[in-house]
Amino acid sequence: MVEAPSTLDLTFKQTVDFLCQAEDLLIMAHAAPDGDTIGSAYGLCLGLRQLGKRARVLCADPLPTRFAFLKLPEAPDFEPKEIVCVDIADPKLAGKANASLAWKSTLCIDHHGSNIRYAQRLYLEPEASSTCEIMVNILERMGVSLTSDIADCLYTGMATDTGCFRFGNTQASTHRTAAKLMECGAHAAKINKDLFDTIGRTRFVLEQLVGQTMQFYLGGRVAVIQVAHDMCVKTGTSDSELEGFASMPGRIEGVLVGVTLREKVDGFYKISLRTNEGIDASAICAKFDGGGHKAAAGCKIKGSLEHARKLILEAIEEALG
Amino acid sequence: MVEAPSTLDLTFKQTVDFLCQAEDLLIMAHAAPDGDTIGSAYGLCLGLRQLGKRARVLCADPLPTRFAFLKLPEAPDFEPKEIVCVDIADPKLAGKANASLAWKSTLCIDHHGSNIRYAQRLYLEPEASSTCEIMVNILERMGVSLTSDIADCLYTGMATDTGCFRFGNTQASTHRTAAKLMECGAHAAKINKDLFDTIGRTRFVLEQLVGQTMQFYLGGRVAVIQVAHDMCVKTGTSDSELEGFASMPGRIEGVLVGVTLREKVDGFYKISLRTNEGIDASAICAKFDGGGHKAAAGCKIKGSLEHARKLILEAIEEALG
């Protein structure tokens, strides 16, 4: 464990000033990248380059194919003077190879209340829908012109983190920012269609298989689904098509905690929790060294399916009281 | 067939003036009401009452339970001086019992390009996301204060008609209007959760059954699902839980036309089309006396499943060229 440095909380203006004065920036996105980390990293990178600075993005994993429409020109080679982590609540989320670099970050911009305050400087807006919504404001104040490419990046992150403006983190400001990005040329209809309304045939079949595993516990207050490794093999589903299952069980009427148990090849089960009515998913996952948001969190448990399910159900039962 | 009267196209201002001067208004919503017709009818009704007018809503069918959160005080009894149709493209959509009344409407406010121009006066914004988005502007200009109850009505219609801001009809103005309604007290998070993120257990099982009927035609460009009457009986799914299946087949990658064949007890199949990449669903459905929007339309065909499927597939093949 690396000891956390003393973190300086920046104001919005200080963050803008820091970025305006900075040169040669390495921007880090978290591993297993989602739309928000990719969108905010790419958006910031394009904005900094527009201002004549050298900037590139580092991510432990390749860009998932569904984000392939986001364009980022080749990364120039330079020795970074600043390391900026975006949407990374904890250096370990940067991935094994990059965690130590994330610990050295000189600025972190984030919206996760669970941010462990690891960077030298932190600009945190825990009420923001997404890091991308924060980034729109930062780039505008920096004097960056929001081109259509930048708008696509930032819209993508806002849309993915809010479930396309469906989740409770969507605020009036989120809609206003989305309107602005559309006026700047964000291809919202195309992005929404690709991200939220298109499903591969193999994924569709996998959803059917996963749906059939749904089981209810604790008087219907908990619903559990499982994604077994052999289901993925059988349907030929790629890893990048495996996102989004986590929301399935929590959507069933009367369910307070939706649990997704996803079998990993390393002998672990990756567990995703989605909660309703104020149940703290993050607190439940913290018991297994996991974390996240109040209504959406995750953790890993080693062992068999039965073992993982038993442990997480016990923790949920305790939380439900 | 009733002969269509000569319809006067109103400007926005003329529409506002007409409503401001009108007294004793009967507001008609279409049968099998969706969020947009209910939201715009209730929103207008509450707004008119706020201005001291008598107004009530007429709908051929009861309010679906998922819209139960929308509140409308008891309807006062009065002889209507004006009949205002909202979101009704054709009087027959008002339902058998109310169609002749709809033909007598003195004003129609709508966003369907397919509106058959049946009312004495018509305010049509075919580019608007929803009739509710139009209604926000009208009520504001009328000087109505957008209370939380009115905002809930109007948000509901905007959200349902845009698939929660996901569909291509969502524009920058749609997001701005949503922001305004949230600031007026619309319970967006709760409404979204109820309408888009909650699914009954029976409905979930039905989705599994329907998903298993998916078949592909014309080289994967057409996907067809069926909702058989006995599936609904078997799962105990109520009629009001049957919406939203239509989008399922069109979401599969590579599908240009998604077809849903829903068995009705009267010997008809209700056919819903959802199209991608500019295929005109409305034109295909018009061949069977149906209609709707370019990307979403419907019609009915009498006869067996095989017959209905054969006819609609032939029409689609012709359209795909």
Side-chain angles (χ1 to χ4, degrees), chain A residues 176 193 199 251 253 276, chain B residues 183 193 199 251 253 276:
Chain A
R176 287 232 163 72
K193 176 83 190 154
I199 172 172
R251 291 174 61 217
E253 209 169 358
N276 298 318
Chain B
E183 284 165 348
K193 176 82 191 154
I199 172 173
R251 291 174 61 218
E253 210 169 357
N276 298 319

Side-chain angles (χ1 to χ4, degrees), chain A residues 45 50 53 63 83 85 103 126 173 183 197 233 252 275:
Chain A
C45 186
Q50 191 187 98
K53 298 172 191 291
L63 192 67
I83 299 172
C85 286
W103 275 108
S173 67
E183 284 164 348
D197 259 345
V233 174
I252 309 288
T275 54

Side-chain angles (χ1 to χ4, degrees), chain A residues 28-42 59 86-88 132 157:
Chain A
M28 295 183 68
H30 61 69
D34 59 13
D36 197 28
T37 199
I38 283 294
S40 54
Y42 278 27
C59 182
V86 291
D87 200 48
I88 301 179
C132 278

